[in-house]
Amino acid sequence: MSTMVEITLDGESARVPEGSTILDACRRKGIDTPTLCWAENLTPVNVCRVCVVEVEGSRVLVPSCSRNVEEGMVVATDTERVRTSRRMVYELLASSVEMDRATPEVLAWMDHYGARPDRMGDRSEIVTQAQPVKVQDDLYVRDYERCILCYKCVEACGDDAQHTYAIATAGRGFDAHISTEHDVSLPDSACVYCGNCIGVCPTGALMFKTEHDMRDAGTWDESKQSVTTTVCSFCGVGCNLELHVQDERIVKVTSPADHSVTNGHLCIKGRFGWQHAHA
Amino acid sequence: MPDLYFGAGDEATEAEKDAVAEALADYGPVVVRETERLVHAGRSRTRERRHLLLPALHALQRSAGWISPGGLDHVCGELEVPPAEAYGVATFYHLFTHDPPAADNTVHVCDDVACRLVGAVALIDDLRVEGYHVKASPCLGQCERGPAVLVQRTGRPDLTVTAVDDGPVTTSEVAVAISSESSTPSVSLAQTGSGDLRLLTRVGVVDPTSLDDYRAHGGFRALEEALRMGGDRVIAEVTASGLSGRGGAAFPTGVKWRGVADQEGRPRHLVCNADESEPGTFKDRVVMEGDPYSLVEAMTIAGTAIGAEQGWLYIRGEYPVAIGRLRHAIDEAYAEGLLGDDVAGSGIRFDLTLRSGAGAYICGEETALFNSLEGYRGEPRNKPPFPTTHGLFGEPTAINNVETLVNVPPIVLMGGEAYAAVGTKQSPGTKLFCLSGRVKRPGTYEVEFGATLRDLVDLAGGLIAGSEVRAVMLGGAAGSFVGPESMDLPLTLEATRAAGVSLGSGVVMVFDQHDDMVDTVRRIAEFFRDESCGQCVPCRVGTVRQEEVLVRLRRGADIEDERELLDDLAAVMRDASICGLGQTASGAIRSALDLGLLVSSGDSQGDRS
Ligand SMILES: Cc1cc2nc3c(=O)[nH]c(=O)nc-3n(C[C@H](O)[C@H](O)[C@H](O)COP(=O)(O)O)c2cc1C
Ligand code: SF4
Ligand code: SF4
Ligand code: SF4
Ligand code: FES
Ligand code: FES
């Protein structure tokens, strides 16, 4: 049994295990909280700030995804200050990057907080991340005008999964961007095509080429897709694969984030071996 | 350790390899130690080599005039750093370039708030016409003698250029400077020789390159005394003195030191924050250029008192004179046994390493500074945990501003209580202020806490002929504007706090009725946009949108149409940013709005001279 900590969450007292984050506590209490840069299989980087909450005694808002609960903490998740900051994070992001391929949750939260990115000014008169799509091989598309710089791909490529370190954040400020060294092409970089960066990207900036091409052609239709779970047969590790099938073709391979072997991460064989099976 | 893969396929030149070898010479074989990982981007912290990345990048830039792909790969091989990460670090800093050099010399001209009042924009135009490779720069920390110029030279040391006579630097002075060996501006102060000084007594008096002369002026007596007293008593005296941090946050220094001294963890570090990049701030530079040994002595007292074996002096890269003098002072102190395994025969170890930054205001934020020193991008860490327990390399660390530290030798010599006899009860001691703008004698001034804004302006010779105060920028770009009605505000922590403003880093920049305040405020917004590390959304995008609003206002947009957006931007940056940069990025702009400075004044030509 872990020690329990008593906190006040939106006016009600809650007992949560020591070492939990405020976000954990919110989830236990059924308080929905938006996140962008947090993922259960990655170390929290707390950079997007969309999960902020008000903690009594703190001058500024606090990122719930990475702040641990403390005995007696008084937390409010739906105050005017919290709503303003969350709405502004979405407005700021959506005024500079294309959000239309973001996950449905992201789009629902933007709606919930009434984000109006248009009021930042006309797209042609403000600075945005508009830039050409990067297609450098048959497997991936990198469309950085959709990138919200959540660092998830960097973490998945580095410490948290792949330990390849093919990509990192370069530049600074609004010019900060995900890059290989000297922006060399992905095939020229250390990339091993594990696809783990794609698996964690929340905005569709990184996409399997199959999915990207189908979306561009207007044929991508998740309502027509079924997901079959299987175990990868390329080696003996036993990774769980989720095969996404549309019109009797595999269109994408993922792995569950809570799977004990993969934590959601795979290698090139599991991720792309099916392409050869088709051929 | 990952297998390193080099995609660029370029080779370093022999000159680049030699420069890197020289920079890494003293560090022996690879020793890797993993420490706790506190932030994203990069594998668990590895010690002993990665922290050499910044010095190695400086070596590349100096030798070749840019960070070439081959040079970077070579450094990555030597230090076992993945190239993508090293590229991410190199592209973080303004002073590193990533294209083959356009010229042997890059002339950085400050066009920030103070310098644009005295002809910076015209100087930039003139230099460009004459064919120089010019970059407009944020504040270079020479606001008292603007427009400030820094020259980066391939293969030779950097230079600062100062005007020979009164009046702004000319293009021919830049030409003369570029052809000379090094810059040697002498520091002179309006107050030199005044009896009331504590912190500036030796500046302009002592030979800054001579340890003997420093001794002859009372130097290193405080260190002897401190070693006799022992660490606990030194900390007790510092606590009794009521000394608080001069880097902006005014945290009680004694409390910080006690906190680190009480940690179990080893090793511990003492870091001196000499990044001084807040627009309008130059006091630390004046101390370091004019009295470098005092900082070495102060750090040694602090380090031995809190039980830190390792001291780090992180100084902004744009201070070549101070860097040169401090390196020399440190070398001499080692030679005399005042640093190293046995400090002044006490048996206590204290090593001191100087590292220079490479053009990034954010690296003055303490946790960003740690990341920069460790060889990572200068992105602030989320707090808690705090530096006292998890500082440099995740180890217990005390970090202090230059001015904070140079208060320590006088405290040791006179005792905490006597120190606190001047100033006010809640703000004991003296304070350095950086006077610039429309005063007759801009410069660094030391006054007792309690002096008013008017006192300071008088000390600086009053306003230039024909000027009336329109506004004063107090505390820097991260501070706020006050109007002429605040001239009798006592500059103490308590009085400024009560007035809702802050002393910040001691900036007092005076604007008069002719100055284009909308342009000044726009330049501040541009500063924050350029200096945001880009890590968190509120600041990365918020500072861009804020600047866009100011540009629209400058073009004549109605403030009433922009007010709601400005309010919301201010709210999210203040409330939801990770660090102080984003949290204060709207402060000066808000205060200008409240003072009515954002309505065009009509009579506006920012660049009069
Ligand atoms: C964006 C930013 C820049 C800063 N720059 C500096 C600096 O250049 N020098 C400095 O001493 N403190 C600077 N600080 C404050 C430091 O984080 C830290 O509080 C200070 O070094 C502590 O030393 P002190 O207690 O002696 O003041 C900065 C803070 C922020 C948020
Ligand atoms: S595919 Fe794998 S190796 Fe390549 S960038 Fe993505 S995470 Fe890194
Ligand atoms: S590419 Fe995707 S995962 Fe990577 S930082 Fe951008 S949005 Fe996040
Ligand atoms: S507030 Fe600005 S400078 Fe600070 S961490 Fe966020 S983006 Fe970086
Ligand atoms: S989800 Fe918490 S800061 Fe991004
Ligand atoms: S040096 Fe130009 S504003 Fe400071």
Side-chain angles (χ1 to χ4, degrees):
Chain A
M1 264 303 287
S2 54
T3 327
M4 301 298 274
V5 177
E6 178 121 9
I7 65 169
T8 307
L9 194 51
D10 286 342
E12 286 178 31
S13 78
R15 283 168 60 76
V16 284
E18 194 174 17
S20 319
T21 61
I22 298 174
L23 183 64
D24 295 332
C26 288
R27 300 223 155 137
R28 284 166 79 99
K29 278 295 223 179
I31 299 172
D32 255 357
T33 307
T35 60
L36 284 168
C37 66
W38 176 90
E40 62 185 312
N41 54 355
L42 301 173
T43 314
V45 291
N46 50 73
V47 296
C48 77
R49 319 303 280 183
V50 80
C51 67
V52 288
V53 297
E54 214 166 319
V55 170
E56 228 174 76
S58 170
R59 185 173 48 87
V60 291
L61 301 178
V62 159
S64 63
C65 65
S66 44
R67 177 66 64 84
N68 283 0
V69 293
E70 286 159 35
E71 184 65 37
M73 200 179 234
V74 180
V75 180
T77 71
D78 197 29
T79 64
E80 187 60 39
R81 271 174 87 197
V82 169
R83 283 193 299 269
T84 301
S85 278
R86 290 182 180 180
R87 171 173 55 79
M88 284 302 289
V89 167
Y90 287 119
E91 287 187 0
L92 289 171
L93 283 176
S95 70
S96 43
V97 305
E98 299 295 336
M99 297 290 275
D100 57 329
R101 285 183 185 169
T103 58
E105 297 91 280
V106 172
L107 299 175
W109 278 114
M110 289 182 59
D111 209 37
H112 175 87
Y113 286 111
R116 290 187 296 124
D118 297 348
R119 72 198 185 100
M120 301 286 163
D122 192 275
R123 276 269 176 147
S124 61
E125 280 162 25
I126 62 175
V127 185
T128 70
Q129 295 290 353
Q131 57 189 286
V133 179
K134 285 190 159 120
V135 186
Q136 294 166 339
D137 52 69
D138 297 340
L139 302 178
Y140 293 175
V141 173
R142 296 184 295 156
D143 186 3
Y144 285 123
E145 74 178 355
R146 298 174 188 283
C147 174
I148 58 168
L149 215 68
C150 68
Y151 290 70
K152 281 178 172 170
C153 53
V154 177
E155 296 215 291
C157 187
D159 281 343
D160 280 339
Q162 185 56 30
H163 293 88
T164 296
Y165 308 96
I167 48 175
T169 318
R172 171 166 110 195
F174 197 74
D175 297 330
H177 60 282
I178 306 296
S179 181
T180 57
E181 66 275 18
H182 318 292
D183 200 25
V184 298
S185 72
L186 212 51
D188 278 339
S189 78
C191 176
V192 297
Y193 288 88
C194 64
N196 290 329
C197 51
I198 298 182
V200 296
C201 182
T203 60
L206 305 180
M207 230 179 230
F208 300 104
K209 192 153 182 303
T210 42
E211 177 175 349
H212 188 266
D213 291 350
M214 287 174 75
R215 281 181 185 269
D216 276 358
T219 54
W220 181 262
D221 186 352
E222 283 180 15
S223 69
K224 286 208 258 159
Q225 290 172 12
S226 60
V227 178
T228 328
T229 304
T230 170
V231 174
C232 182
S233 57
F234 277 103
C235 74
V237 172
C239 299
N240 264 17
L241 300 183
E242 297 166 324
L243 308 178
H244 300 244
V245 178
Q246 178 180 335
D247 301 329
E248 290 169 42
R249 287 180 68 88
I250 301 173
V251 292
K252 169 156 96 174
V253 176
T254 56
S255 183
D258 57 2
H259 179 48
S260 61
V261 177
T262 67
N263 287 320
H265 306 303
L266 292 170
C267 76
I268 186 170
K269 292 180 186 156
R271 203 69 88 167
F272 295 106
W274 55 273
Q275 295 204 342
H276 302 289
H278 275 310
Chain B
M1 183 61 56
D3 292 334
L4 298 182
Y5 178 91
F6 299 107
D10 293 335
E11 272 282 326
T13 64
E14 288 309 313
E16 286 170 329
K17 286 184 188 165
D18 290 348
V20 170
E22 197 187 321
L24 307 185
D26 298 335
Y27 293 92
V30 184
V31 184
V32 178
R33 202 176 103 214
E34 298 227 332
T35 54
E36 192 178 342
R37 176 174 166 231
L38 290 169
V39 79
H40 54 77
R43 61 185 176 281
S44 315
R45 285 354 188 35
T46 49
R47 273 285 292 273
E48 306 303 336
R49 297 296 271 182
R50 175 96 190 214
H51 70 98
L52 295 171
L53 184 55
L54 191 50
L57 292 172
H58 272 297
L60 285 178
Q61 176 75 38
R62 169 82 23 89
S63 74
W66 69 310
I67 308 291
S68 70
L72 188 72
D73 281 357
H74 174 69
V75 164
C76 289
E78 294 290 300
L79 300 180
E80 302 193 27
V81 177
E85 280 192 18
Y87 180 72
V89 172
T91 52
F92 192 82
Y93 298 98
H94 282 322
L95 294 183
F96 296 145
T97 45
H98 307 282
D99 295 309
D104 279 347
N105 306 299
T106 302
V107 185
H108 300 263
V109 180
C110 168
D111 74 342
D112 215 326
V113 276
C115 291
R116 51 196 304 118
L117 300 179
V118 291
V121 178
L123 179 63
I124 291 174
D125 289 344
D126 293 349
L127 287 166
R128 287 203 174 127
V129 167
E130 293 191 19
Y132 289 97
H133 181 235
V134 184
K135 283 190 181 170
S137 165
C139 178
L140 287 167
Q142 306 175 49
C143 328
E144 82 276 39
R145 54 187 192 205
V149 179
L150 170 83
V151 186
Q152 243 182 324
R153 303 186 297 181
T154 303
R156 303 164 72 198
D158 297 347
L159 297 168
T160 51
V161 185
T162 44
V164 179
D165 307 313
D166 272 359
V169 174
T170 60
T171 54
S172 52
E173 282 166 342
V174 173
V176 170
I178 285 178
S179 59
S180 54
E181 215 29 65
S182 61
S183 43
T184 46
S186 59
V187 187
S188 71
L189 296 172
Q191 287 174 306
T192 297
S194 150
D196 305 333
L197 302 177
R198 283 179 176 179
L199 309 176
L200 300 178
T201 41
R202 280 177 297 260
V203 176
V205 174
V206 80
D207 176 357
T209 62
S210 162
L211 196 149
D212 289 340
D213 202 35
Y214 178 65
R215 272 221 169 96
H217 286 83
F220 287 112
R221 279 202 354 232
L223 175 61
E224 264 173 50
E225 183 60 26
L227 292 170
R228 196 164 30 239
M229 285 159 68
D232 284 341
R233 261 206 57 212
V234 170
I235 297 175
E237 292 300 332
V238 169
T239 307
S241 76
L243 177 66
S244 64
R246 306 291 197 239
F251 191 83
T253 307
V255 174
K256 188 182 275 189
W257 287 14
R258 189 72 260 162
V260 174
D262 287 345
Q263 294 298 314
E264 300 281 320
R266 296 248 164 198
R268 301 173 192 158
H269 305 270
L270 172 79
V271 179
C272 172
N273 188 342
D275 197 51
E276 190 163 72
S277 308
E278 180 71 43
T281 316
F282 47 88
K283 63 187 174 73
D284 295 343
R285 190 203 84 235
V286 166
V287 171
M288 293 186 290
E289 286 182 0
D291 195 11
Y293 294 94
S294 70
L295 183 56
V296 174
E297 179 177 11
M299 287 189 71
T300 311
I301 295 172
T304 50
I306 64 172
E309 298 83 354
Q310 182 64 52
W312 305 80
L313 174 46
Y314 186 95
I315 179 168
R316 72 179 297 193
E318 295 89 338
Y319 281 175
V321 178
I323 290 170
R325 291 186 182 161
L326 283 162
R327 279 197 202 285
H328 175 74
I330 292 170
D331 287 348
E332 276 206 308
Y334 266 107
E336 299 249 333
L338 296 164
L339 287 171
D341 290 340
D342 180 18
V343 171
S346 63
I348 300 175
R349 186 185 136 213
F350 183 68
D351 281 305
L352 182 51
T353 304
L354 181 146
R355 286 290 163 81
S356 58
Y361 166 62
I362 189 56
C363 290
E365 195 282 337
E366 53 196 18
T367 59
L369 190 156
F370 300 150
N371 278 341
S372 177
L373 266 179
E374 291 179 26
Y376 291 81
R377 290 164 58 79
E379 294 174 348
R381 303 171 183 171
N382 212 40
K383 290 185 272 192
F386 292 95
T388 307
T389 54
H390 294 74
L392 188 61
F393 302 111
E395 291 156 357
T397 302
I399 175 164
N400 282 114
N401 173 257
V402 173
E403 182 189 346
T404 313
L405 286 165
V406 294
N407 270 283
V408 171
I411 290 172
V412 167
L413 289 176
M414 70 175 81
E417 217 167 294
Y419 175 92
V422 307
T424 66
K425 210 167 161 37
Q426 290 170 64
S427 309
T430 61
K431 173 84 193 89
L432 300 181
F433 286 96
C434 312
L435 273 283
S436 63
R438 303 301 184 188
V439 292
K440 280 207 186 104
R441 284 198 308 266
T444 302
Y445 292 87
E446 177 177 358
V447 294
E448 279 185 37
F449 273 111
T452 63
L453 256 184
R454 190 183 310 281
D455 296 338
L456 272 169
V457 170
D458 288 348
L459 205 53
L463 300 181
I464 57 172
S467 276
E468 287 160 38
V469 175
R470 173 115 188 267
V472 177
M473 187 172 90
L474 199 60
S480 46
F481 287 97
V482 297
E485 64 287 352
S486 300
M487 292 306 285
D488 293 312
L489 179 72
L491 298 178
T492 60
L493 299 172
E494 59 277 16
T496 49
R497 194 172 297 142
V501 295
S502 140
L503 287 183
S505 50
V507 172
V508 175
M509 194 182 289
V510 181
F511 296 86
D512 73 13
Q513 72 276 22
H514 304 293
D515 292 327
D516 181 346
M517 295 313 291
V518 182
D519 183 54
T520 298
V521 174
R522 184 207 55 76
R523 183 64 184 85
I524 291 173
E526 180 188 343
F527 174 81
F528 284 114
R529 181 206 66 189
D530 285 347
E531 299 300 328
S532 164
C533 82
Q535 189 181 203
C536 67
V537 177
C539 170
R540 178 179 73 239
V541 192
T543 54
V544 170
R545 298 291 173 244
Q546 175 172 270
E547 193 216 358
E548 287 170 348
V549 172
L550 269 301
V551 169
R552 290 199 291 268
L553 289 178
R554 184 110 202 290
R555 292 200 188 124
D558 185 350
I559 178 68
E560 291 316 314
D561 296 338
E562 303 282 358
R563 199 179 283 271
E564 185 193 300
L565 181 55
L566 267 186
D567 284 345
D568 279 357
L569 289 169
V572 69
M573 288 196 284
R574 188 187 56 231
D575 279 348
S577 293
I578 293 179
C579 83
L581 189 150
Q583 288 162 11
T584 59
S586 58
I589 291 152
R590 306 295 305 166
S591 67
L593 195 59
D594 294 345
L595 287 173
L597 298 175
L598 291 187
V599 279
S600 294
S601 63
D603 161 28
S604 66
Q605 257 322 311
D607 218 19
R608 274 192 304 185
S609 28

